[in-house]
Amino acid sequence: MTQITPGAIKRIAIIGAGPSGLAAAKYLLAENAFSEIIIYEQRNSVGGTWNYTPLPPKRQSSVNGDLNGSSEPNALDVVTANLPKLNTPMYEGLESNLPHMLMQFSDTPFPERTQLFARRDTVQQYLQDYASDIISMIRFGHEVHEVRPTGGDECHGWEITTKATAERESKVERFDAVVAANGHCDWPLLPKVEGLDAWCKQFPDSLYHSVSFKNPKAFEKKRVLLVGGGPSGADIGRQIARVCEHPFLSAQPKKSPYHTDEPDTRDYSTLVALMPDERAAKFADGSVERNIDAIILCTGYAYSFPFLAPVDPTIKDEGIRALPLYQYIFHIQHPTLAFIETPEMIVPFPLAECQAAVIARVWSSRLTLPNRHKMQDWRESVVRERGAAREFHALKPPLDLEYMKEMYDWSSKATETAACEGGAGGKMPKWWDARACWVRMMAAEMKKAFNARGEARSNVLTYEELGFRFDGEGNEP
């Protein structure tokens, strides 16, 4: 199956009530072409990753807590030990990496007086407000156990097995199409470093992953090594560097644009080995640092879709491999299975809208997909250009801007119909004009200037207050 028979899709399931699932629901609703849209959410609130989950008391006083009796823990056992079932990587002091006027949904601005880089609780409330008009569509406390195609290779629908928290028995329902919007920030991706598992066996209480970081208290007056160079690593490192024993140690093969040079820090490129017998770390330049008390891995997350085990080709546990998707959205073999927000290094809320707009139009038959061979050719061309590992999904700016413009243009070519909400063309995502593109490209510099204000940053509401001016062409100030 490649082309979708007009009118064949009536009942749609969305997995996850985070930002991408909410966006999907709104764009599907706007088509006025589907009989029922249900969102399954295992938590009791919307927001996905933006939900803050405190750690159990034992975990807060110990880096790793209980390893469930394991006498031979590996690194993954250690960094996930004692985590709450619905843990998220949200931490106490988190503020967004993007100015709020950039990250917001196209039809819903953040409240007035929101600081330029919004606090996590502000974003969570924003998402609750955004979801208020579709709350009746969400089945809270429902975990999706399995999504199974019916009809073999020529998929004719999906059977979804769910279990509600308050019920003993699972339930199976049938849908014509499924949106996987469960996110990809909950299963730690660990680096391949010689000696990592051996280190965990000797010092299991000394290893963290950013998935379990909530605040820097566990690192006070300790000799700390941080591994990883993404935006979260930069922010977590900034917090730890102010309370740990100096010098603070950092290993970053590629520094994030959000990285700032903290005082009393030793920066290395790549960690190549851990030597637990010496409680030491060796780096690519041959340097060795000893007497390390704690290591925190800010090395990202793996794609994990355990409920998709029955789908062929399988994508239930892809780690960092390129998913078998067309335009990062449609499963090439089964285009009634769609994904939102698999790209990384992006502006997430607006990108989710762009993808949702395309999904809604394809499934309502206002847009058509190319044949399976052409979709596979697109995927293979991206693999040739960027690689089949994490780079496949990395849309570092300006690639994310180019992609969103392409999705906008694709959506705009849909067949018009009077049934659509918002006019014959339908609900449209944000158009990225020169100013918005400039803000995107300057976001990291703005965030560093924002952080430099210290406690006074909460009073900064606009980037102009930080000295940034758009000159009408997108040049740097």
Side-chain angles (χ1 to χ4, degrees):
M1 171 184 171
T2 298
Q3 295 304 328
I4 296 168
T5 303
I9 296 178
K10 289 299 182 183
R11 200 161 186 258
I12 300 172
I14 299 172
I15 302 172
S20 56
L22 299 177
K26 294 207 173 190
Y27 279 82
L28 288 166
L29 272 176
E31 290 293 298
N32 285 319
F34 312 110
S35 62
E36 187 173 26
I37 301 166
I38 295 174
I39 306 174
Y40 291 107
E41 172 53 54
Q42 59 183 338
R43 296 180 178 84
N44 291 316
S45 61
V46 303
T49 298
W50 288 94
N51 282 279
Y52 174 74
T53 51
L55 295 180
K58 188 173 183 180
R59 181 75 189 208
Q60 301 226 7
S61 62
S62 168
V63 171
N64 289 298
D66 183 15
L67 290 172
N68 298 318
S70 175
S71 59
E72 295 291 330
N74 60 31
L76 189 60
D77 292 331
V78 167
V79 299
T80 57
N82 213 26
L83 288 178
K85 180 182 178 182
L86 300 180
N87 180 67
T88 72
M90 199 58 48
Y91 48 89
E92 290 177 10
L94 186 140
E95 294 165 327
S96 67
N97 287 323
L98 298 168
H100 63 76
M101 67 286 297
L102 191 73
M103 73 178 291
Q104 67 192 21
F105 290 111
S106 59
D107 57 358
T108 309
F110 273 85
E112 290 185 24
R113 306 300 300 173
T114 297
Q115 66 180 48
L116 182 60
F117 292 87
R119 298 190 308 268
R120 61 168 178 81
D121 55 332
T122 301
V123 178
Q124 173 63 6
Q125 183 60 54
Y126 171 83
L127 292 171
Q128 290 176 3
D129 295 341
Y130 180 73
S132 61
D133 60 339
I134 57 172
I135 206 77
S136 62
M137 297 166 52
I138 305 173
R139 293 187 184 177
F140 290 107
H142 279 69
E143 183 175 0
V144 175
H145 287 183
E146 184 179 80
V147 175
R148 178 178 294 275
T150 61
D153 290 341
E154 299 300 316
C155 174
H156 297 299
W158 302 88
E159 289 183 347
I160 296 186
T161 303
T162 63
K163 185 177 181 302
T165 305
E167 298 174 4
R168 291 185 177 182
E169 301 296 326
S170 59
K171 182 179 181 181
V172 178
E173 293 186 81
R174 192 185 183 284
F175 294 87
D176 301 309
V178 179
V179 179
N182 59 306
H184 53 84
C185 289
D186 57 359
W187 196 249
L189 181 64
L190 304 184
K192 294 181 180 179
V193 174
E194 179 185 344
L196 181 59
D197 284 342
W199 182 285
C200 292
K201 291 174 184 177
Q202 254 181 277
F203 309 111
D205 269 2
S206 72
L207 188 71
Y208 261 121
H209 186 277
S210 53
V211 72
S212 62
F213 178 84
K214 299 301 176 184
N215 60 59
K217 293 177 182 178
F219 302 96
E220 289 179 354
K221 299 180 181 179
K222 291 184 178 180
R223 185 166 169 80
V224 180
L225 168 63
L226 181 145
V227 181
S232 292
D235 190 45
I236 290 171
R238 183 177 61 88
Q239 295 185 42
I240 293 175
R242 296 178 182 180
V243 301
C244 70
E245 177 186 310
H246 291 157
F248 171 59
L249 309 175
S250 173
Q252 303 180 56
K254 294 180 181 179
K255 288 186 179 179
S256 164
Y258 291 86
H259 175 83
T260 55
D261 293 322
E262 296 292 326
D264 298 312
T265 297
R266 288 181 190 166
D267 288 325
Y268 296 96
S269 59
T270 303
L271 173 68
V272 296
L274 293 172
M275 299 174 284
D277 291 342
E278 302 177 55
R279 201 147 189 164
K282 184 177 181 180
F283 304 93
D285 64 358
S287 300
V288 175
E289 293 283 357
R290 292 180 169 81
N291 303 316
I292 294 172
D293 297 313
I295 300 171
I296 180 163
L297 305 173
C298 297
T299 47
Y301 300 88
Y303 295 105
S304 182
F305 305 97
F307 49 84
L308 291 177
V311 177
D312 183 27
T314 183
I315 54 173
K316 72 181 182 70
D317 188 13
E318 284 293 296
I320 59 171
R321 292 166 50 202
L323 300 176
L325 308 180
Y326 175 63
Q327 292 290 352
Y328 305 105
I329 301 174
F330 297 100
H331 192 285
I332 293 172
Q333 186 76 16
H334 305 297
T336 54
L337 172 61
F339 296 74
I340 293 189
E341 253 186 72
T342 62
E344 300 180 344
M345 306 175 75
I346 59 170
V347 186
F349 297 5
L351 186 137
E353 284 192 276
C354 288
Q355 293 182 318
V358 168
I359 293 169
R361 286 159 169 78
V362 169
W363 287 354
S364 67
S365 300
R366 296 203 297 124
L367 284 176
T368 58
L369 292 171
N371 63 47
R372 188 177 300 165
H373 294 297
K374 289 184 178 179
M375 290 196 286
Q376 187 62 38
D377 286 346
W378 175 87
R379 180 182 180 276
E380 290 175 358
S381 70
V382 177
V383 169
R384 286 194 299 271
E385 180 182 346
R386 299 185 199 149
R390 184 152 229 143
E391 294 80 8
F392 178 89
H393 295 277
L395 296 184
K396 182 179 180 180
L399 292 178
D400 60 342
L401 296 171
E402 294 169 5
Y403 175 77
M404 287 188 287
K405 288 180 178 179
E406 289 175 8
M407 295 303 101
Y408 182 98
D409 288 343
W410 191 10
S411 294
S412 70
K413 296 174 182 177
T415 303
E416 294 188 355
T417 172
C420 288
E421 175 188 316
K427 183 176 176 63
M428 288 295 289
K430 174 178 179 174
W431 168 250
W432 286 78
D433 60 18
R435 178 186 288 272
C437 291
W438 172 79
V439 175
R440 171 63 180 125
M441 298 305 295
M442 298 301 298
E445 294 303 314
M446 291 176 182
K447 181 63 182 289
K448 288 189 282 190
F450 179 80
N451 286 339
R453 292 291 182 93
E455 295 300 320
R457 69 186 183 279
S458 61
N459 298 318
V460 176
L461 308 183
T462 68
Y463 51 76
E464 288 88 354
E465 295 172 59
L466 299 173
F468 293 86
R469 298 286 185 275
F470 177 63
D471 65 4
E473 298 181 2
N475 296 315
E476 295 185 12

